[in-house]
Amino acid sequence: MKIDSHQHFWRYNQADYGWIGEQEQVLKRDFLPSDLAPILSSNQLDACVAVQARQSDSETQWLIELANDNSFIKAVVGWIDIAADTLSEQLAQYASHPVLKGFRHVIQDEPDANFMLRPEFIRGLKVLAKHDYCYDLLIFAKQLPQAIELVKSIPELPIVVDHIAKPEIAADIGFAQWQTYMQQIADCPNTMCKVSGMVTEADHQNWQAEDFQKYLAAVFDAFGPQRIMFGSDWPVCLLAAEYSQVKAIVEDFVKTNYPQQFAAIFGGNAQTFYRI
């Protein structure tokens, strides 16, 4: 099964999607399963993982409903108040929804640099592990030191780093430090990495495929091909590229450097991580 491990759905409104700015008009519309299905088909993909785009319980419920109505959505990564004292009780309401595989918090937008290291947040992540959920880690490259500490503190929780931790590809700065930190987080055996979200960290109008080669090489060196999964980050990727272009960047790299692991990177690893 060929799987896109990272994409989003939404019914656009300004209140819920305030992060979509005036320069991002292409995203100011609805993006639903009926929009994605033909794109997956034309790109020879069979299924997807729907990831939260709003930080609300209603988002999680809505994504579960979409998955129940669209069989190609094989997994949902929702949102939940991880630091809540009532987390176990909140999780109980989802026990009858096996398509819900994990959760994510938009840590990249938290003003507190140590947000993810708060005791109550770490406690909540340990609760997720006890309930057999996984976790998508959404951070900027500058947050990698805290992320490494976090990951080391919860070895029992499967964690995937979204968007290769968003290095500054457009400015092409900080590569060596990012590479070092990515190796350190990859040294934790409970981690995987999504090669996703790269085009939106590059120059939206002028990127070239070669801009991503050293980043891909560094991630593959750090994690190895059995711990990497392809994700489109559709529709956010449309800010800088069409779906087919995003796929081609990773596909060409894998076919050139890791052809025997193609099936794993474009599906098998996501199946394992999300228990699809």
Side-chain angles (χ1 to χ4, degrees):
M1 185 187 303
K2 294 181 180 178
I3 301 171
D4 178 347
S5 73
H6 197 104
Q7 52 76 216
H8 307 283
F9 298 116
W10 60 69
R11 293 189 186 277
Y12 177 74
N13 66 77
Q14 187 172 1
D16 284 343
Y17 300 96
W19 56 270
I20 300 177
E22 286 304 311
Q23 304 302 313
E24 301 166 332
Q25 292 294 324
V26 68
L27 302 183
K28 291 189 174 185
R29 67 173 182 87
D30 296 351
F31 290 93
L32 299 169
S34 58
D35 300 303
L36 181 59
I39 296 173
L40 289 178
S41 179
S42 65
N43 284 277
Q44 293 80 53
L45 290 161
D46 306 306
C48 67
V49 177
V51 180
Q52 62 85 218
R54 297 177 298 165
Q55 303 210 124
S56 66
D57 294 321
S58 60
E59 170 83 338
T60 305
Q61 295 282 3
W62 184 61
L63 292 178
I64 290 170
E65 292 172 8
L66 291 183
N68 289 339
D69 292 340
N70 297 272
S71 61
F72 68 88
I73 305 173
K74 298 298 185 185
V76 166
V77 176
W79 181 88
I80 199 167
D81 186 355
I82 291 170
D85 291 336
T86 58
L87 180 58
S88 291
E89 289 80 4
Q90 292 181 58
L91 289 172
Q93 69 179 315
Y94 296 122
S96 61
H97 299 290
V99 75
L100 179 63
K101 304 297 186 179
F103 295 92
R104 186 177 82 154
H105 186 88
V106 184
I107 294 174
Q108 68 176 31
D109 288 344
E110 291 291 344
D112 179 2
N114 290 310
F115 174 89
M116 71 184 93
L117 296 178
R118 293 185 305 153
E120 58 270 32
F121 192 76
I122 293 176
R123 179 198 65 205
L125 292 178
K126 289 180 177 292
V127 171
L128 293 187
K130 288 180 181 178
H131 287 79
D132 293 325
Y133 288 109
C134 57
Y135 186 72
D136 270 58
L137 183 63
L138 178 61
I139 56 170
F140 288 123
K142 65 184 180 182
Q143 296 170 301
L144 276 166
Q146 292 88 352
I148 293 164
E149 188 176 344
L150 174 75
V151 169
K152 287 180 177 179
S153 70
I154 318 167
E156 69 272 30
L157 178 66
I159 294 174
V160 62
V161 179
D162 288 351
H163 310 330
I164 66 170
K166 293 194 167 186
E168 297 186 65
I169 298 173
D172 194 21
I173 59 175
F175 174 81
Q177 187 67 80
W178 166 83
Q179 183 180 26
T180 297
Y181 287 145
M182 289 298 279
Q183 182 61 65
Q184 290 176 14
I185 205 166
D187 287 342
C188 301
N190 58 318
T191 60
M192 295 184 70
C193 185
K194 290 182 181 178
V195 283
S196 58
M198 296 185 296
V199 292
T200 47
E201 299 307 312
D203 182 330
H204 289 189
Q205 304 302 321
N206 300 298
W207 62 264
Q208 303 291 326
E210 52 265 30
D211 296 341
F212 310 105
Q213 297 305 298
K214 68 179 181 181
Y215 293 93
L216 286 167
V219 168
F220 274 81
D221 285 345
F223 288 88
Q226 295 304 319
R227 293 165 59 200
I228 287 177
M229 56 186 92
F230 163 75
S232 68
D233 199 26
W234 179 93
V236 182
C237 68
L238 299 178
L239 292 170
E242 294 299 321
Y243 192 108
S244 59
Q245 294 176 295
V246 171
K247 184 188 176 211
I249 292 167
V250 181
E251 187 173 49
D252 292 347
F253 180 87
V254 173
K255 285 183 175 179
T256 299
N257 298 283
Y258 299 93
Q260 293 182 327
Q261 283 79 37
F262 185 90
I265 295 158
F266 279 86
N269 295 340
Q271 278 187 273
T272 300
F273 183 81
Y274 289 113
R275 295 173 286 112
I276 294 171

